[in-house]
Amino acid sequence: MTHIKTAVFPVAGLGTRFLPITKSVPKEMLPLIDKPLIQYAVEEARASGIENFVFVSSPDKPALDDYFRTNFWLEDHLSSNNKTDALRLVRDASLSPKSFWVTHQTKALGLGHAIWTAKEFLRNEAFAVLLPDDFIHSDRSAIGQMIEAHARIGGNMVATMDVGRDAISAYGCLDVEARAGKCLNASGMVEKPSPEMAPSTHAVIGRYILQPSVLDKLAVTTPGAGGEIQLTDAIAADIAHNELWGYEFDGSRYDCGSKSGYLEATIAVALDRIDLAPALWNSMLARTEIGAAA
Ligand code: UTP
């Protein structure tokens, strides 16, 4: 049993860095081999004991709304043809209708606005947020690691990693005051600072455990960096009520919102799979040899 029961998955962004595919395929439905990014995020949450799943989607993304619904026709077909492995995969990709909800952000006004859109599903208790395009490859669920730490120290918590000064301006950035093991106590947080102005090189990665008071702050947050309503600004504004913690998770994070990150994630997943790794190694070695011979 975990004290965090609900996770929000904001999936209403436009995915412009992946055009033209995102013209009709939502970024979160892009596959790492044979499962969409959104399913990896849902599995990470499920592995941590989370029971309720809220998707903040867009009316233009019906594929996402459909994906976790039971496909009775397909299940019947696989079952009557004794395709038990395929049936298991299909069932794993479904959620009980009592455990998931889809709400629509009609305009992509920013991540903060997407979370605020989910407020009616978030009762008076802390909740998790997972951004599916931040793929975390790890032995233990990254959000599960955070939930364990959060049970001890509370407050608002964000996943963090050191990205170095050159990269920090692409991220939210923690103003770190003190460290206790993997937990970094922060006095503030700023969205996309310039490298010179960044208070640290500790970037915010797409996993959060938030107190409901952040929703009140979101209600009055005005557009910030990039003209969007930023989640970072609302969490920073909540610091008078709740301590802010960064959590250095175990695992490799891939930015699947970028093409190079998505490609690296695909290779990492393939190299971890017994059915694919040997063929991939052979292919890479053959190409290296051809390259060396040329
Ligand atoms: P990104 O910042 O990667 O934006 O969103 P994006 O629109 O998805 O992609 P680009 O930058 O145009 O290529 C991070 C996460 O926040 C969600 C996205 O769906 C993604 O999961 N998001 C972002 C929303 O749900 N609503 C928004 O208004 C913005």
Side-chain angles (χ1 to χ4, degrees):
M1 274 297 276
T2 153
H3 69 297
I4 305 294
K5 300 195 177 55
T6 302
V8 182
F9 302 84
V11 290
L14 300 175
T16 53
R17 284 170 291 164
F18 259 98
L19 283 168
I21 179 74
T22 44
K23 196 167 159 249
S24 65
V25 178
K27 176 173 69 174
E28 300 78 11
M29 289 302 291
L30 295 179
L32 294 180
I33 315 292
D34 48 14
K35 279 195 291 194
L37 287 169
I38 185 68
Q39 190 176 344
Y40 287 95
V42 163
E43 287 177 357
E44 183 186 324
R46 207 155 39 181
S48 74
I50 282 171
E51 297 163 357
N52 305 315
F53 305 83
V54 180
F55 300 95
V56 181
S57 187
S58 126
D60 300 330
K61 297 187 176 184
L64 252 162
D65 297 21
D66 282 348
Y67 186 74
F68 290 104
R69 295 187 208 286
T70 304
N71 184 331
F72 293 103
W73 176 86
L74 182 58
E75 290 194 13
D76 275 356
H77 175 81
L78 295 172
S79 174
S80 48
N81 287 286
N82 290 323
K83 299 208 180 259
T84 44
D85 287 348
L87 182 60
R88 183 178 46 76
L89 291 174
V90 168
R91 287 193 171 145
D92 282 352
S94 302
L95 288 170
S96 150
K98 290 187 190 136
S99 73
F100 88 98
W101 297 269
V102 179
T103 185
H104 285 157
Q105 186 191 20
T106 43
K107 251 188 170 177
L109 297 178
L111 177 59
H113 182 260
I115 302 305
W116 186 76
T117 304
K119 61 188 179 309
E120 64 183 289
F121 302 95
L122 305 170
R123 290 165 228 109
N124 288 325
E125 54 189 25
F127 57 93
V129 174
L130 291 91
L131 308 195
D133 51 356
D134 262 342
F135 171 66
I136 301 181
H137 199 44
S138 58
D139 294 335
R140 281 177 57 225
S141 156
I143 196 72
Q145 297 173 41
M146 290 173 67
I147 289 172
E148 266 180 47
H150 190 266
R152 294 194 307 274
I153 58 179
N156 288 311
M157 184 177 275
V158 299
T160 187
M161 61 188 268
D162 194 331
V163 297
R165 203 150 282 278
D166 289 347
I168 195 68
S169 54
Y171 296 87
C173 173
L174 289 171
D175 192 348
V176 178
E177 289 281 308
R179 170 189 285 277
K182 289 175 167 297
C183 300
L184 308 182
N185 193 236
S187 60
M189 172 153 99
V190 48
E191 187 64 34
K192 298 187 175 57
S194 65
E196 312 79 55
M197 299 301 284
S200 78
T201 51
H202 291 283
V204 177
I205 303 302
R207 301 291 181 276
Y208 308 75
I209 299 175
L210 300 178
Q211 300 293 342
S213 49
V214 171
L215 297 169
D216 302 330
K217 300 295 181 301
L218 279 170
V220 292
T221 300
T222 49
E228 297 193 334
I229 296 178
Q230 296 289 353
L231 184 57
T232 311
D233 293 343
I235 299 171
D238 198 43
I239 214 154
H241 298 103
N242 287 292
E243 276 200 289
L244 173 57
W245 295 96
Y247 183 83
E248 288 183 327
F249 54 93
D250 286 328
S252 305
R253 173 262 182 179
Y254 298 90
D255 174 12
C256 290
S258 78
K259 288 171 197 168
S260 57
Y262 175 72
L263 183 61
E264 284 178 50
T266 305
I267 293 170
V269 170
L271 289 177
D272 218 22
R273 279 181 46 163
I274 194 79
D275 58 332
L276 298 173
L280 180 58
W281 275 121
N282 286 341
S283 161
M284 288 195 300
L285 283 173
R287 275 163 204 281
T288 313
E289 281 159 18
I290 291 167

